[in-house]
Amino acid sequence: MSTREAQAERPVEPQAAPQSAPQAAKGAMRGDLGAVRREMARRLALLTPAMGIIILVMVVPLALMLTYSFLTSARYGGVIWEFSTDAYLQFLFVRDLDDSLLFNDTYLRIFARSFGLSLATMGVALLIGFPAALFIALQPPKYRTMLIFLVTIPFWTNLLVRNYAWILLLRDRGLINNTLMDLGVISQPLPLIYNNFGITLGLVYSFIPFMVLPIYASLEKLDWRLVEAAYDLGANRWEALKRVIIPLAKPGIIAGSVLVFVPSLGAYITPQLLGGGRNLMIGNLIQLQFGASQNWPFGAALAFILLAIVLLALVLWALRARRSGTSLKEVEIG
Amino acid sequence: MAENIAIDLRAVSKVFGSGPDEVRALDAVSLQIRDGEFFTLLGPSGCGKTTLLRLLAGFEQPTQGEIRLHGQELSGLPPFRRPVNTVFQSYALFPHMTVAQNVSFGLEMQGTSKAEIGRRVDEMLELVKLAGYGRRKPAQLSGGQQQRVALARALANRPKVLLLDEPLSALDLKLRKEMQIELKRLQNDTGITFVFVTHDQEEALTMSDRLVVMDSGKALQIGSPREIYEHPENRFVADFIGETNLLVARVDSADGESGTFRLPSGARVQGRSRDGLSAGAEVTLALRPERAELSDDPDAPLRGRIENVVYFGTDTLYQVSVNEVGLFRVRSQNVNGGMAAAGIGSTVGISFAPDAIQVLRD
């Protein structure tokens, strides 16, 4: 997320490191190993509460889920403590009558749809969020705080309530369709809800603050004299945006995109309410396994497959960013 | 004559804010900058010099008045349509681009061909003595090198006028001296009109062909460094540029050229006069410390007691307390190996040539 910052700071690091290293070595050589050990113990003690909380609320539940995903499903929910990879096989295959595995792409399609809708959500949120963040960053400081505050207001109300509000607006006899029909603009209600459009709209609405806030944060730090320099050198507004503002806001754009994409992928309430349950997304599928389908191991396995895909994508992306970063550095030195 | 004028400002005013918050950053400034000259805007911070530069660059629009560049009215023209480039105080180099990309930015915006861009970037880096640095990022360069990149970037578009906003203020003294010489060389080599903003009077005197001294949004005096230093027109200019002794006097008699003035001590001195002086009027006279000298003459116009002697190497400064005038400074060249002409506590006379006295407008 902050590769650019890391690059900018890099030239400083080599200077700082050699100074501190000999000092540490000198301290150790003086023979007060006891003091070093006490210091280590003190640091460990200070880390313990935070580590404890992370282990308790993150590692333990995840381990529990991972265990469940390798167990056998009980008929009426819950699990039988018997090792099985069925849950993972079920993601891609169905068991035929003769117990052979047949390829089944139902769940893959749901995953693909989820990724598609999440990408669309991210794209739309970026198209709306970037200009919004830019607009806020260009206001006088006293208005900026106010506008950022307005961006966060939807968070004050429950997500469920807000999604119901969208139903009232979007349904066939909702505010939008009624108004348009009363005005004679359309004769049939527009299909605004219980489809991919409704889901994307709802997701964009739900997560757009996550796009606006990080982009605003990077634009707010931006040195606007650089934009003046671009104008001065003959760049019009569009060129200045393309060549200077967007590249410098990239850390915020990437952070915002990840923050919108990842929760969209796991979204549950919005696809349920605005998709009408007809267009399943991963979140709904997982919920279904713990609910109506009563197949806990499969639900846990789905959650882990999702986690693995997201992690893999982020790691690949980070590796690529680092590789381009280092190759750039090699070029500069060479 | 007219085709010699690069920039022509006519009664330009700039007002920021409104009502009680109103700030008049520029107040009816009129001045002309000649084509190809090194022109300096000099003044203390807040005097309006940077505002004036921003008006020329197009970042601000004048509230009143006209700005013409080679006869063309500039008002309303956005910065990217002006044949003017700026070297910013903070350099404002694009941190995400290499040195070469920074320098080529303006050329790309003009739609110059790729081959031509490559040639011009090399030429510009050569000009600022940074050949071979093209692939570095600005963060990998020293302050002086960044300064040179900023110059190369601004000169790459071959602007009609180069605006420089206190470009040397962030450099240490030695580097600043080097860059001063470098800037003069660049200006000579390129023949481009330089408009240079500084608050450093020494920098302004040594570098400029002509300069304007500004204060509180007004252009107080325009002229060559010599004119400004030797003949300051008012108290602010006399005080801001170099050291000066101010004497309150009454006009005895005066014509347009010279006059006689009576000091509070009763002594009469001769000096350069100006128009519109009537006998009996109170005026302020300015006298540079190096134009005065200590003398044994009992008829010297001023007498006082030496309070302090400061040795400066090339010269020595005497602080002489003179009745009804206060502390009066005399600088004398150390032509005799720096031996003080008189010690602290001794009483001396101070004399000066008639053309050393300048009558100020308040």
Side-chain angles (χ1 to χ4, degrees):
Chain A
M1 250 168 265
S2 55
T3 47
R4 189 168 308 284
E5 286 166 25
Q7 273 176 19
E9 283 163 12
R10 215 169 278 163
V12 184
E13 284 167 7
Q15 294 170 344
Q19 282 175 347
S20 57
Q23 275 173 5
K26 227 182 278 170
M29 270 191 293
R30 244 185 270 135
D32 40 14
L33 270 171
V36 173
R37 213 170 286 152
R38 271 199 301 281
E39 174 63 18
M40 294 294 283
R42 199 179 69 91
R43 286 186 190 180
L44 260 177
L46 284 173
L47 275 174
T48 306
M51 292 303 288
I53 288 169
I54 289 175
I55 289 171
L56 196 71
V57 305
M58 251 191 82
V59 179
V60 170
L62 278 177
L64 214 62
M65 290 285 283
L66 188 64
T67 316
Y68 270 38
S69 72
F70 284 106
L71 294 177
T72 308
S73 130
R75 188 177 290 262
Y76 302 108
V79 288
I80 299 165
W81 285 82
E82 207 170 284
F83 178 79
S84 159
T85 54
D86 270 4
Y88 289 94
L89 287 175
Q90 197 184 344
F91 181 61
L92 292 175
F93 304 101
V94 285
R95 255 177 224 288
D96 209 352
L97 291 173
D98 60 357
D99 226 24
S100 64
L101 295 173
L102 286 177
F103 181 69
N104 168 27
D105 66 353
T106 312
Y107 301 122
L108 265 185
R109 286 223 303 267
I110 292 175
F111 265 59
R113 180 195 294 128
S114 298
F115 274 92
L117 286 176
S118 300
L119 279 174
T121 302
M122 186 183 90
V124 175
L126 184 59
L127 283 179
I128 301 170
F130 184 84
L134 187 60
F135 174 80
I136 296 172
L138 287 172
Q139 299 309 304
K142 55 179 175 177
Y143 296 124
R144 282 187 220 157
T145 326
M146 171 74 169
L147 287 166
I148 283 299
F149 174 72
L150 287 177
V151 167
T152 61
I153 276 189
F155 284 147
W156 295 15
T157 326
N158 184 282
L159 185 64
L160 205 59
V161 175
R162 285 183 282 145
N163 275 288
Y164 273 114
W166 274 109
I167 294 179
L168 296 180
L169 286 173
L170 298 176
R171 64 183 177 180
D172 286 359
R173 291 267 146 227
L175 189 65
I176 294 171
N177 275 320
N178 269 352
T179 309
L180 288 177
M181 282 193 289
D182 288 351
L183 289 172
V185 181
I186 49 171
S187 53
Q188 291 292 313
L190 293 170
L192 299 176
I193 198 169
Y194 308 133
N195 52 23
N196 288 343
F197 174 83
I199 296 177
T200 311
L201 183 70
L203 289 176
V204 168
Y205 163 77
S206 302
F207 296 127
I208 201 152
F210 294 124
M211 185 65 88
V212 174
L213 294 176
I215 295 179
Y216 169 75
S218 60
L219 286 177
E220 203 233 342
K221 280 188 302 191
L222 195 136
D223 182 355
W224 292 96
R225 283 172 300 194
L226 295 175
V227 181
E228 280 192 348
Y231 287 155
D232 186 70
L233 291 164
N236 57 31
R237 282 180 182 77
W238 167 243
E239 292 284 354
L241 184 72
K242 198 174 72 178
R243 299 286 301 268
V244 176
I245 299 175
I246 289 177
L248 291 174
K250 215 164 136 197
I253 291 172
I254 290 169
S257 301
V258 171
L259 284 178
V260 170
F261 180 73
V262 173
S264 295
L265 208 50
Y268 157 64
I269 290 177
T270 304
Q272 178 79 18
L273 293 180
L274 300 182
R278 278 187 289 177
N279 296 280
L280 282 187
M281 280 180 75
I282 302 172
N284 311 105
L285 186 61
I286 294 171
Q287 190 272 339
L288 214 56
Q289 304 314 313
F290 285 97
S293 297
Q294 304 215 328
N295 189 346
W296 290 15
F298 187 47
L302 285 173
F304 262 89
I305 292 166
L306 178 63
L307 183 68
I309 293 173
V310 171
L311 276 181
L312 193 72
L314 287 178
V315 166
L316 283 177
W317 172 72
L319 279 179
R320 217 198 61 181
R322 189 191 293 174
R323 205 180 316 132
S324 64
T326 46
S327 67
L328 206 74
K329 217 177 171 201
E330 279 157 16
V331 166
E332 284 156 7
I333 291 161
Chain B
M1 192 61 200
E3 68 267 25
N4 271 337
I5 301 300
I7 292 174
D8 189 1
L9 280 97
R10 294 178 190 172
V12 172
S13 294
K14 177 67 186 176
V15 179
F16 291 106
S18 57
D21 299 333
E22 185 180 292
V23 176
R24 192 165 279 267
L26 283 178
D27 194 2
V29 172
S30 292
L31 55 87
Q32 294 182 326
I33 299 173
R34 294 174 193 146
D35 194 17
E37 80 176 335
F38 197 118
F39 190 87
T40 298
L41 313 177
L42 174 67
S45 57
C47 73
K49 57 193 192 298
T50 295
T51 303
L52 182 50
L53 202 74
R54 291 175 61 79
L55 286 175
L56 294 176
F59 300 134
E60 310 281 357
Q61 296 295 332
T63 312
Q64 274 156 15
E66 281 185 358
I67 303 172
R68 286 174 185 276
L69 177 75
H70 291 286
Q72 183 198 7
E73 168 71 44
L74 282 184
S75 304
L77 223 54
F80 49 88
R81 296 234 179 82
R82 297 185 180 204
V84 164
N85 287 118
T86 308
V87 176
F88 293 85
Q89 184 170 12
S90 55
Y91 316 144
L93 297 176
F94 304 125
H96 57 297
M97 297 183 196
T98 63
V99 167
Q101 286 167 339
N102 265 285
V103 177
S104 66
F105 187 90
L107 297 168
E108 285 170 42
M109 292 303 122
Q110 283 186 334
T112 314
S113 74
K114 269 228 165 75
E116 173 71 5
I117 288 176
R119 209 182 54 72
R120 282 273 278 284
V121 169
D122 288 345
E123 183 191 321
M124 283 302 139
L125 290 179
E126 194 84 44
L127 186 70
V128 297
K129 297 174 178 166
L130 279 179
Y133 284 76
R135 293 179 131 174
R136 301 220 188 164
K137 285 277 180 74
Q140 295 172 303
L141 302 178
S142 69
Q145 288 170 332
Q146 289 183 22
Q147 172 69 78
R148 285 161 196 270
V149 176
L151 272 167
R153 183 177 72 173
L155 286 169
N157 278 19
R158 295 193 182 132
K160 291 215 171 89
V161 176
L162 185 73
L163 308 174
L164 302 107
D165 186 7
E166 306 215 21
L168 307 182
S169 58
L171 304 177
D172 62 48
L173 186 66
K174 189 165 172 291
L175 208 52
R176 192 154 73 225
K177 296 281 175 209
E178 272 175 41
M179 282 308 294
Q180 287 177 358
I181 296 165
E182 193 71 18
L183 276 177
K184 278 302 269 187
R185 180 185 67 84
L186 280 173
Q187 201 247 337
N188 272 329
D189 289 0
T190 57
I192 291 172
T193 310
F194 277 33
V195 179
F196 184 86
V197 162
T198 186
H199 62 263
D200 182 333
Q201 45 111 356
E202 192 193 327
E203 200 166 87
L205 290 180
T206 55
M207 297 181 72
S208 320
D209 294 322
R210 291 195 311 142
L211 63 143
V212 58
V213 182
M214 296 181 67
D215 184 46
S216 309
K218 289 193 170 72
L220 296 180
Q221 192 175 354
I222 303 165
S224 70
R226 193 173 170 278
E227 281 165 359
I228 301 263
Y229 184 82
E230 298 292 341
H231 307 304
E233 281 177 358
N234 57 47
R235 184 189 282 260
F236 181 86
V237 175
D239 218 23
F240 189 72
I241 312 253
E243 285 178 301
T244 202
N245 293 300
L246 297 173
L247 302 168
V248 178
R250 279 191 190 281
V251 180
D252 231 27
S253 66
D255 56 36
E257 284 292 298
S258 65
T260 312
F261 306 95
R262 191 206 300 267
L263 296 175
S265 61
R268 284 190 171 78
V269 293
Q270 298 266 309
R272 288 167 52 96
S273 180
R274 58 174 167 84
D275 292 334
L277 288 181
S278 52
E282 194 176 273
V283 291
T284 305
L285 307 178
L287 177 61
R288 296 290 182 192
E290 71 275 12
R291 302 294 301 275
E293 54 190 350
L294 302 179
S295 85
D296 305 328
D297 184 357
D299 297 331
L302 294 169
R303 297 196 73 79
R305 182 175 170 276
I306 296 182
E307 295 289 339
N308 204 0
V309 181
V310 186
Y311 175 71
F312 277 95
T314 55
D315 55 7
T316 300
L317 175 71
Y318 299 90
Q319 290 178 321
V320 184
S321 103
V322 178
N323 277 345
E324 290 158 39
V325 171
L327 223 48
F328 192 97
R329 283 169 292 186
V330 178
R331 259 180 198 271
S332 66
Q333 289 283 313
N334 290 331
V335 285
N336 298 323
M339 286 298 291
I344 293 173
S346 52
T347 304
V348 289
I350 299 169
S351 61
F352 30 82
D355 72 335
I357 295 272
Q358 178 74 27
V359 182
L360 300 179
R361 264 176 251 270
D362 282 299

